[in-house]
Amino acid sequence: MNTQGAGPAGRGRWARQLKGIARVAAVAALVWPLLGFACKTKETTRLAPEKVLPLQTATLEELLAKIEQASNAMRSLNAEAEMAPTTGSEYSGVIEEYHDARAFVLAQRDYQATDDPRQDSVYHVRLIGQAPIVRKTVFDMVADSRQFKIHLPTKNKFIVGSATLERRSEKPIENLRPQHLIEALFLPAPWANTPHLLEENEFDGRRFYGVSEIVLDDSGQTILHRKWWFERSRLELVRVQRFGLKGELVSDVRYADWREESGVPYPHQIELSRPQDDYRLTLRFKKMTLNQPVAPEKFVLEKPEGAELVEVKPRAATESPAKP
């Protein structure tokens, strides 16, 4: 626009026009990003048909039957695995993660008819851990229904104690007991003639069935005993929790990577968490054999000559072994 020769009135109109253009530009600069954001508030993602998860349904009776079947299908395990222990938590202030070690796992369970479902099986388990790279044995543990034995070659110690004794060490890694593996390796069956409840829940966008087992303690109070979790797209068992008399979480076992071995579905990754003992243990199985006889001598562990014998006992006379 040519403003040469314009008077004061013309220059005034030109100034007002410039101010109007500036205001329009400022408003546009504010509104345009908002319009762009509004256009992006909805984003549609269409999954390929093979990635769409089916939402399966099951009744309480059907889920209890699945647990019973999975429990009865397992009798013995002979496996090699990668083992990763972790101790401590944000609550204790110190977290220690141990490098992956190689582990050899032997376990066997035999049922016997009893009136008490807590004592309806006799088990044996052995766990041998080797350090990475050098493959030197760092511990050798065995346990049965009565007692446990642990040989620590690097410390030249041989530890023995009752399988039902609960004594928490200040060093979490020392709380690792071979008998803790039993309820992780062998899926626990529901107790007969015991109330069970079914719930539906959702975590991180995945849906689950929860089966709760309710029992009575010695005083007749109702308590939550165990909880089984099933992921609903495959109805696979992914988690088993066990609780104590005061509602505390005693054992939390997560299962993943289910595959068939010898015709028996079995998880190839097991994560055992013992919050009260302040440790977690992950087993990733590399190879395994299921339900094959294990020679009794495989579960025999004798104290080596010269090793220091350590007997784990209750801290005080008033402390007694925990009930099975």
Short mmCIF file of all heavy atoms in Angstrom, two decimals, residues 74-79 104-112 120-128 140-149 163 177-186 266 292-301:
data_model
loop_
_atom_site.label_atom_id
_atom_site.label_comp_id
_atom_site.label_asym_id
_atom_site.label_seq_id
_atom_site.Cartn_x
_atom_site.Cartn_y
_atom_site.Cartn_z
N MET A 74 1.13 -83.46 38.25
CA MET A 74 2.55 -83.34 38.57
C MET A 74 2.94 -84.28 39.69
O MET A 74 2.34 -84.26 40.77
CB MET A 74 2.87 -81.91 38.99
CG MET A 74 3.52 -81.05 37.92
SD MET A 74 5.06 -81.72 37.32
CE MET A 74 6.18 -81.10 38.52
N ARG A 75 3.98 -85.11 39.42
CA ARG A 75 4.50 -86.01 40.45
C ARG A 75 5.99 -85.79 40.71
O ARG A 75 6.45 -85.90 41.83
CB ARG A 75 4.26 -87.47 40.02
CG ARG A 75 2.81 -87.90 40.13
CD ARG A 75 2.38 -87.96 41.58
NE ARG A 75 0.99 -88.39 41.72
CZ ARG A 75 -0.04 -87.58 41.76
NH1 ARG A 75 0.16 -86.29 41.64
NH2 ARG A 75 -1.27 -88.04 41.92
N SER A 76 6.74 -85.47 39.66
CA SER A 76 8.18 -85.27 39.85
C SER A 76 8.71 -84.33 38.78
O SER A 76 8.11 -84.15 37.72
CB SER A 76 8.94 -86.60 39.80
OG SER A 76 8.90 -87.15 38.49
N LEU A 77 9.86 -83.73 39.10
CA LEU A 77 10.50 -82.77 38.21
C LEU A 77 12.00 -82.96 38.28
O LEU A 77 12.58 -83.06 39.37
CB LEU A 77 10.13 -81.33 38.62
CG LEU A 77 10.91 -80.20 37.95
CD1 LEU A 77 10.48 -80.06 36.49
CD2 LEU A 77 10.67 -78.87 38.68
N ASN A 78 12.65 -83.01 37.12
CA ASN A 78 14.10 -83.04 37.01
C ASN A 78 14.46 -82.00 35.97
O ASN A 78 14.17 -82.17 34.79
CB ASN A 78 14.57 -84.43 36.59
CG ASN A 78 16.09 -84.55 36.63
OD1 ASN A 78 16.80 -83.56 36.72
ND2 ASN A 78 16.59 -85.77 36.52
N ALA A 79 15.08 -80.89 36.40
CA ALA A 79 15.22 -79.76 35.48
C ALA A 79 16.53 -79.02 35.69
O ALA A 79 17.14 -79.06 36.76
CB ALA A 79 14.05 -78.80 35.66
N PHE A 104 20.13 -76.72 39.35
CA PHE A 104 19.61 -78.05 39.04
C PHE A 104 18.54 -78.35 40.09
O PHE A 104 18.79 -78.24 41.29
CB PHE A 104 20.73 -79.09 39.08
CG PHE A 104 21.81 -78.84 38.06
CD1 PHE A 104 22.95 -78.12 38.40
CD2 PHE A 104 21.67 -79.30 36.76
CE1 PHE A 104 23.93 -77.87 37.47
CE2 PHE A 104 22.65 -79.06 35.81
CZ PHE A 104 23.79 -78.34 36.16
N VAL A 105 17.36 -78.70 39.60
CA VAL A 105 16.21 -78.88 40.48
C VAL A 105 15.70 -80.31 40.38
O VAL A 105 15.43 -80.82 39.29
CB VAL A 105 15.07 -77.91 40.12
CG1 VAL A 105 13.94 -78.00 41.14
CG2 VAL A 105 15.59 -76.48 40.03
N LEU A 106 15.57 -80.96 41.53
CA LEU A 106 14.96 -82.28 41.63
C LEU A 106 13.83 -82.17 42.65
O LEU A 106 14.03 -81.64 43.74
CB LEU A 106 15.96 -83.33 42.11
CG LEU A 106 16.89 -83.97 41.08
CD1 LEU A 106 17.88 -84.88 41.79
CD2 LEU A 106 16.10 -84.76 40.05
N ALA A 107 12.65 -82.66 42.29
CA ALA A 107 11.53 -82.60 43.22
C ALA A 107 10.60 -83.78 42.97
O ALA A 107 10.42 -84.22 41.84
CB ALA A 107 10.77 -81.29 43.06
N GLN A 108 10.04 -84.28 44.05
CA GLN A 108 9.11 -85.41 43.95
C GLN A 108 8.06 -85.29 45.05
O GLN A 108 8.36 -84.89 46.17
CB GLN A 108 9.85 -86.73 44.08
CG GLN A 108 8.97 -87.96 43.88
CD GLN A 108 9.81 -89.22 43.70
OE1 GLN A 108 10.44 -89.43 42.67
NE2 GLN A 108 9.82 -90.05 44.72
N ARG A 109 6.82 -85.64 44.69
CA ARG A 109 5.72 -85.58 45.65
C ARG A 109 4.90 -86.86 45.57
O ARG A 109 4.57 -87.33 44.48
CB ARG A 109 4.83 -84.37 45.36
CG ARG A 109 3.65 -84.24 46.30
CD ARG A 109 2.81 -83.03 45.96
NE ARG A 109 2.27 -83.08 44.61
CZ ARG A 109 1.45 -82.18 44.09
NH1 ARG A 109 1.11 -81.14 44.82
NH2 ARG A 109 0.99 -82.30 42.87
N ASP A 110 4.57 -87.42 46.71
CA ASP A 110 3.75 -88.64 46.80
C ASP A 110 2.56 -88.36 47.70
O ASP A 110 2.72 -87.85 48.81
CB ASP A 110 4.56 -89.81 47.36
CG ASP A 110 5.77 -90.14 46.49
OD1 ASP A 110 5.59 -90.23 45.27
OD2 ASP A 110 6.86 -90.29 47.05
N TYR A 111 1.38 -88.67 47.19
CA TYR A 111 0.16 -88.48 47.98
C TYR A 111 -0.04 -89.63 48.96
O TYR A 111 0.32 -90.76 48.69
CB TYR A 111 -1.06 -88.38 47.07
CG TYR A 111 -1.25 -87.01 46.46
CD1 TYR A 111 -1.04 -86.80 45.11
CD2 TYR A 111 -1.65 -85.93 47.26
CE1 TYR A 111 -1.22 -85.55 44.55
CE2 TYR A 111 -1.82 -84.68 46.71
CZ TYR A 111 -1.62 -84.49 45.35
OH TYR A 111 -1.78 -83.24 44.80
N GLN A 112 -0.63 -89.30 50.08
CA GLN A 112 -1.04 -90.31 51.04
C GLN A 112 -2.40 -89.88 51.61
O GLN A 112 -2.66 -88.71 51.82
CB GLN A 112 -0.02 -90.46 52.17
CG GLN A 112 0.23 -89.19 52.96
CD GLN A 112 1.26 -89.38 54.05
OE1 GLN A 112 1.88 -90.42 54.12
NE2 GLN A 112 1.43 -88.38 54.89
N ASP A 120 -1.43 -84.16 53.27
CA ASP A 120 -1.82 -85.25 52.38
C ASP A 120 -0.74 -85.63 51.38
O ASP A 120 -1.00 -86.38 50.45
CB ASP A 120 -3.10 -84.88 51.62
CG ASP A 120 -2.91 -83.66 50.72
OD1 ASP A 120 -1.81 -83.07 50.77
OD2 ASP A 120 -3.84 -83.32 49.99
N SER A 121 0.47 -85.12 51.55
CA SER A 121 1.53 -85.47 50.61
C SER A 121 2.89 -85.48 51.31
O SER A 121 3.09 -84.77 52.30
CB SER A 121 1.56 -84.49 49.43
OG SER A 121 1.87 -83.19 49.88
N VAL A 122 3.76 -86.30 50.80
CA VAL A 122 5.14 -86.37 51.26
C VAL A 122 6.02 -85.91 50.10
O VAL A 122 5.87 -86.39 48.98
CB VAL A 122 5.52 -87.79 51.70
CG1 VAL A 122 6.99 -87.86 52.08
CG2 VAL A 122 4.63 -88.26 52.85
N TYR A 123 6.90 -84.98 50.36
CA TYR A 123 7.69 -84.43 49.27
C TYR A 123 9.19 -84.51 49.57
O TYR A 123 9.62 -84.60 50.72
CB TYR A 123 7.30 -82.98 48.98
CG TYR A 123 7.59 -82.02 50.12
CD1 TYR A 123 8.87 -81.49 50.31
CD2 TYR A 123 6.58 -81.62 50.99
CE1 TYR A 123 9.14 -80.62 51.34
CE2 TYR A 123 6.84 -80.73 52.03
CZ TYR A 123 8.13 -80.24 52.19
OH TYR A 123 8.39 -79.36 53.22
N HIS A 124 9.96 -84.44 48.50
CA HIS A 124 11.41 -84.34 48.56
C HIS A 124 11.83 -83.32 47.51
O HIS A 124 11.30 -83.31 46.39
CB HIS A 124 12.09 -85.68 48.27
CG HIS A 124 11.70 -86.78 49.21
ND1 HIS A 124 12.38 -87.04 50.39
CD2 HIS A 124 10.69 -87.69 49.16
CE1 HIS A 124 11.82 -88.05 51.01
NE2 HIS A 124 10.79 -88.47 50.28
N VAL A 125 12.79 -82.49 47.84
CA VAL A 125 13.27 -81.51 46.87
C VAL A 125 14.77 -81.30 47.08
O VAL A 125 15.28 -81.37 48.21
CB VAL A 125 12.51 -80.16 47.03
CG1 VAL A 125 12.73 -79.56 48.41
CG2 VAL A 125 12.93 -79.18 45.94
N ARG A 126 15.46 -81.06 45.96
CA ARG A 126 16.89 -80.75 46.02
C ARG A 126 17.19 -79.64 45.02
O ARG A 126 16.71 -79.67 43.89
CB ARG A 126 17.74 -81.99 45.70
CG ARG A 126 19.26 -81.73 45.89
CD ARG A 126 20.03 -83.02 45.84
NE ARG A 126 21.41 -82.85 46.27
CZ ARG A 126 22.27 -83.84 46.47
NH1 ARG A 126 21.87 -85.11 46.29
NH2 ARG A 126 23.50 -83.60 46.88
N LEU A 127 17.97 -78.68 45.47
CA LEU A 127 18.33 -77.54 44.63
C LEU A 127 19.83 -77.31 44.74
O LEU A 127 20.36 -77.10 45.83
CB LEU A 127 17.57 -76.28 45.09
CG LEU A 127 17.86 -74.99 44.32
CD1 LEU A 127 17.39 -75.11 42.87
CD2 LEU A 127 17.19 -73.79 45.00
N ILE A 128 20.50 -77.37 43.60
CA ILE A 128 21.95 -77.14 43.54
C ILE A 128 22.19 -75.88 42.71
O ILE A 128 21.70 -75.77 41.58
CB ILE A 128 22.68 -78.33 42.91
CG1 ILE A 128 22.41 -79.61 43.72
CG2 ILE A 128 24.18 -78.06 42.82
CD1 ILE A 128 22.98 -80.87 43.09
N ASP A 140 24.08 -76.38 48.06
CA ASP A 140 23.41 -77.65 47.78
C ASP A 140 22.37 -77.83 48.88
O ASP A 140 22.72 -77.93 50.06
CB ASP A 140 24.42 -78.80 47.77
CG ASP A 140 23.81 -80.10 47.24
OD1 ASP A 140 22.57 -80.16 47.09
OD2 ASP A 140 24.58 -81.04 46.97
N MET A 141 21.09 -77.83 48.49
CA MET A 141 20.01 -77.86 49.48
C MET A 141 19.11 -79.07 49.24
O MET A 141 18.79 -79.39 48.10
CB MET A 141 19.13 -76.60 49.37
CG MET A 141 19.85 -75.29 49.48
SD MET A 141 18.67 -73.90 49.30
CE MET A 141 19.76 -72.51 49.62
N VAL A 142 18.67 -79.70 50.31
CA VAL A 142 17.66 -80.75 50.23
C VAL A 142 16.65 -80.52 51.34
O VAL A 142 16.97 -79.91 52.38
CB VAL A 142 18.26 -82.18 50.36
CG1 VAL A 142 19.25 -82.45 49.25
CG2 VAL A 142 18.87 -82.38 51.73
N ALA A 143 15.43 -81.00 51.12
CA ALA A 143 14.40 -80.90 52.14
C ALA A 143 13.35 -81.96 51.88
O ALA A 143 13.15 -82.41 50.75
CB ALA A 143 13.75 -79.51 52.13
N ASP A 144 12.71 -82.37 52.96
CA ASP A 144 11.55 -83.25 52.85
C ASP A 144 10.50 -82.72 53.82
O ASP A 144 10.58 -81.57 54.28
CB ASP A 144 11.91 -84.72 53.13
CG ASP A 144 12.57 -84.92 54.49
OD1 ASP A 144 12.34 -84.07 55.39
OD2 ASP A 144 13.29 -85.92 54.67
N SER A 145 9.51 -83.55 54.13
CA SER A 145 8.43 -83.08 54.99
C SER A 145 8.88 -82.82 56.42
O SER A 145 8.16 -82.17 57.18
CB SER A 145 7.30 -84.12 55.00
OG SER A 145 6.94 -84.47 53.69
N ARG A 146 10.06 -83.31 56.79
CA ARG A 146 10.51 -83.21 58.18
C ARG A 146 11.60 -82.16 58.41
O ARG A 146 11.53 -81.38 59.33
CB ARG A 146 11.01 -84.57 58.67
CG ARG A 146 9.94 -85.67 58.66
CD ARG A 146 10.50 -87.01 59.08
NE ARG A 146 11.55 -87.47 58.16
CZ ARG A 146 12.83 -87.42 58.40
NH1 ARG A 146 13.28 -86.94 59.54
NH2 ARG A 146 13.70 -87.87 57.51
N GLN A 147 12.63 -82.16 57.57
CA GLN A 147 13.75 -81.27 57.82
C GLN A 147 14.40 -80.82 56.52
O GLN A 147 14.13 -81.35 55.44
CB GLN A 147 14.81 -81.97 58.69
CG GLN A 147 15.50 -83.13 58.02
CD GLN A 147 16.64 -83.70 58.84
OE1 GLN A 147 17.25 -84.67 58.44
NE2 GLN A 147 16.96 -83.10 59.98
N PHE A 148 15.26 -79.81 56.64
CA PHE A 148 16.04 -79.34 55.50
C PHE A 148 17.52 -79.37 55.86
O PHE A 148 17.91 -79.29 57.03
CB PHE A 148 15.63 -77.93 55.08
CG PHE A 148 16.00 -76.85 56.08
CD1 PHE A 148 17.24 -76.22 56.04
CD2 PHE A 148 15.10 -76.45 57.06
CE1 PHE A 148 17.59 -75.24 56.94
CE2 PHE A 148 15.44 -75.46 57.98
CZ PHE A 148 16.67 -74.85 57.92
N LYS A 149 18.36 -79.51 54.82
CA LYS A 149 19.80 -79.49 54.97
C LYS A 149 20.38 -78.61 53.87
O LYS A 149 19.95 -78.69 52.72
CB LYS A 149 20.39 -80.90 54.87
CG LYS A 149 19.88 -81.88 55.92
CD LYS A 149 20.48 -83.27 55.69
CE LYS A 149 19.96 -84.27 56.71
NZ LYS A 149 20.53 -85.63 56.47
N ALA A 163 11.72 -78.53 58.85
CA ALA A 163 11.07 -78.00 57.65
C ALA A 163 9.91 -77.07 58.00
O ALA A 163 9.52 -76.24 57.18
CB ALA A 163 10.59 -79.13 56.75
N ARG A 177 14.94 -71.26 51.57
CA ARG A 177 14.82 -72.63 52.04
C ARG A 177 14.34 -73.53 50.90
O ARG A 177 13.46 -73.12 50.12
CB ARG A 177 13.83 -72.73 53.20
CG ARG A 177 14.23 -71.94 54.43
CD ARG A 177 15.34 -72.66 55.19
NE ARG A 177 15.66 -71.99 56.45
CZ ARG A 177 16.65 -71.13 56.58
NH1 ARG A 177 17.42 -70.84 55.55
NH2 ARG A 177 16.88 -70.57 57.76
N PRO A 178 14.88 -74.73 50.78
CA PRO A 178 14.44 -75.60 49.69
C PRO A 178 12.97 -75.95 49.77
O PRO A 178 12.31 -76.11 48.74
CB PRO A 178 15.33 -76.84 49.85
CG PRO A 178 15.85 -76.79 51.26
CD PRO A 178 15.93 -75.35 51.60
N GLN A 179 12.40 -76.05 50.98
CA GLN A 179 10.99 -76.42 51.10
C GLN A 179 10.07 -75.32 50.59
O GLN A 179 8.91 -75.57 50.25
CB GLN A 179 10.63 -76.78 52.54
CG GLN A 179 10.75 -75.66 53.55
CD GLN A 179 12.11 -75.62 54.21
OE1 GLN A 179 13.11 -76.06 53.64
NE2 GLN A 179 12.16 -75.10 55.43
N HIS A 180 10.57 -74.06 50.49
CA HIS A 180 9.76 -72.99 49.93
C HIS A 180 9.44 -73.26 48.46
O HIS A 180 8.44 -72.76 47.93
CB HIS A 180 10.50 -71.65 50.03
CG HIS A 180 10.66 -71.18 51.44
ND1 HIS A 180 11.46 -70.09 51.77
CD2 HIS A 180 10.15 -71.65 52.61
CE1 HIS A 180 11.42 -69.92 53.09
NE2 HIS A 180 10.64 -70.85 53.62
N LEU A 181 10.29 -74.02 47.79
CA LEU A 181 10.08 -74.30 46.37
C LEU A 181 8.93 -75.25 46.12
O LEU A 181 8.38 -75.28 45.01
CB LEU A 181 11.36 -74.88 45.75
CG LEU A 181 12.55 -73.93 45.61
CD1 LEU A 181 13.76 -74.70 45.13
CD2 LEU A 181 12.22 -72.81 44.64
N ILE A 182 8.56 -76.03 47.12
CA ILE A 182 7.55 -77.06 46.91
C ILE A 182 6.24 -76.45 46.42
O ILE A 182 5.64 -76.89 45.44
CB ILE A 182 7.34 -77.88 48.19
CG1 ILE A 182 8.54 -78.80 48.42
CG2 ILE A 182 6.06 -78.72 48.10
CD1 ILE A 182 8.74 -79.83 47.33
N GLU A 183 5.74 -75.42 47.12
CA GLU A 183 4.46 -74.84 46.72
C GLU A 183 4.57 -74.06 45.42
O GLU A 183 3.54 -73.71 44.83
CB GLU A 183 3.91 -73.95 47.82
CG GLU A 183 4.81 -72.78 48.21
CD GLU A 183 4.22 -72.01 49.38
OE1 GLU A 183 2.98 -71.92 49.47
OE2 GLU A 183 4.99 -71.51 50.22
N ALA A 184 5.81 -73.77 44.96
CA ALA A 184 5.97 -73.12 43.66
C ALA A 184 6.06 -74.15 42.54
O ALA A 184 5.49 -73.95 41.46
CB ALA A 184 7.22 -72.24 43.67
N LEU A 185 6.77 -75.25 42.79
CA LEU A 185 6.96 -76.26 41.75
C LEU A 185 5.73 -77.14 41.56
O LEU A 185 5.41 -77.55 40.44
CB LEU A 185 8.16 -77.14 42.09
CG LEU A 185 9.52 -76.44 42.18
CD1 LEU A 185 10.59 -77.42 42.66
CD2 LEU A 185 9.92 -75.84 40.84
N PHE A 186 5.03 -77.43 42.67
CA PHE A 186 3.83 -78.27 42.61
C PHE A 186 2.61 -77.40 42.90
O PHE A 186 2.49 -76.85 43.99
CB PHE A 186 3.92 -79.40 43.64
CG PHE A 186 5.03 -80.37 43.38
CD1 PHE A 186 6.21 -80.30 44.11
CD2 PHE A 186 4.90 -81.35 42.40
CE1 PHE A 186 7.24 -81.19 43.87
CE2 PHE A 186 5.94 -82.24 42.16
CZ PHE A 186 7.10 -82.17 42.89
N TYR A 266 3.16 -77.32 31.70
CA TYR A 266 3.92 -76.87 32.87
C TYR A 266 4.57 -75.52 32.54
O TYR A 266 5.05 -75.30 31.42
CB TYR A 266 4.99 -77.89 33.23
CG TYR A 266 5.57 -77.67 34.61
CD1 TYR A 266 4.87 -78.06 35.75
CD2 TYR A 266 6.80 -77.05 34.79
CE1 TYR A 266 5.37 -77.85 37.02
CE2 TYR A 266 7.33 -76.83 36.05
CZ TYR A 266 6.60 -77.23 37.17
OH TYR A 266 7.11 -77.01 38.43
N GLN A 292 9.03 -88.63 35.90
CA GLN A 292 9.91 -89.78 35.81
C GLN A 292 10.42 -90.14 37.20
O GLN A 292 10.69 -89.25 38.01
CB GLN A 292 11.09 -89.50 34.87
CG GLN A 292 10.69 -89.29 33.41
CD GLN A 292 10.05 -90.51 32.82
OE1 GLN A 292 10.53 -91.64 33.00
NE2 GLN A 292 8.93 -90.33 32.11
N PRO A 293 10.57 -91.43 37.51
CA PRO A 293 11.02 -91.81 38.85
C PRO A 293 12.38 -91.20 39.18
O PRO A 293 13.27 -91.12 38.32
CB PRO A 293 11.10 -93.34 38.78
CG PRO A 293 10.20 -93.72 37.64
CD PRO A 293 10.28 -92.60 36.65
N VAL A 294 12.52 -90.76 40.42
CA VAL A 294 13.78 -90.20 40.90
C VAL A 294 14.31 -91.13 41.99
O VAL A 294 13.60 -91.43 42.95
CB VAL A 294 13.60 -88.78 41.46
CG1 VAL A 294 14.93 -88.22 41.94
CG2 VAL A 294 12.98 -87.87 40.41
N ALA A 295 15.54 -91.58 41.83
CA ALA A 295 16.12 -92.50 42.80
C ALA A 295 16.20 -91.83 44.17
O ALA A 295 16.57 -90.66 44.28
CB ALA A 295 17.52 -92.93 42.35
N PRO A 296 15.85 -92.55 45.24
CA PRO A 296 15.85 -91.96 46.59
C PRO A 296 17.19 -91.36 46.99
O PRO A 296 17.25 -90.35 47.71
CB PRO A 296 15.47 -93.14 47.49
CG PRO A 296 14.72 -94.08 46.60
CD PRO A 296 15.36 -93.94 45.25
N GLU A 297 18.29 -91.98 46.54
CA GLU A 297 19.60 -91.47 46.95
C GLU A 297 19.90 -90.08 46.38
O GLU A 297 20.81 -89.39 46.84
CB GLU A 297 20.71 -92.44 46.53
CG GLU A 297 20.78 -92.74 45.05
CD GLU A 297 19.97 -93.97 44.68
OE1 GLU A 297 19.07 -94.37 45.47
OE2 GLU A 297 20.24 -94.55 43.61
N LYS A 298 19.13 -89.65 45.37
CA LYS A 298 19.33 -88.32 44.81
C LYS A 298 18.97 -87.23 45.82
O LYS A 298 19.41 -86.08 45.69
CB LYS A 298 18.49 -88.14 43.55
CG LYS A 298 18.88 -89.05 42.40
CD LYS A 298 20.22 -88.67 41.81
CE LYS A 298 20.54 -89.50 40.58
NZ LYS A 298 21.86 -89.15 39.99
N PHE A 299 18.19 -87.58 46.82
CA PHE A 299 17.77 -86.61 47.82
C PHE A 299 18.54 -86.75 49.12
O PHE A 299 18.14 -86.18 50.15
CB PHE A 299 16.27 -86.76 48.10
CG PHE A 299 15.40 -86.50 46.90
CD1 PHE A 299 14.76 -87.54 46.25
CD2 PHE A 299 15.24 -85.22 46.40
CE1 PHE A 299 13.97 -87.33 45.15
CE2 PHE A 299 14.44 -84.99 45.29
CZ PHE A 299 13.80 -86.04 44.66
N VAL A 300 19.64 -87.49 49.08
CA VAL A 300 20.47 -87.68 50.28
C VAL A 300 21.63 -86.68 50.24
O VAL A 300 22.36 -86.58 49.25
CB VAL A 300 21.02 -89.12 50.36
CG1 VAL A 300 21.97 -89.25 51.54
CG2 VAL A 300 19.86 -90.11 50.47
N LEU A 301 21.78 -85.92 51.32
CA LEU A 301 22.88 -84.96 51.44
C LEU A 301 23.52 -85.14 52.81
O LEU A 301 22.89 -84.90 53.84
CB LEU A 301 22.36 -83.52 51.28
CG LEU A 301 23.41 -82.41 51.38
CD1 LEU A 301 24.44 -82.54 50.28
CD2 LEU A 301 22.73 -81.04 51.32
#
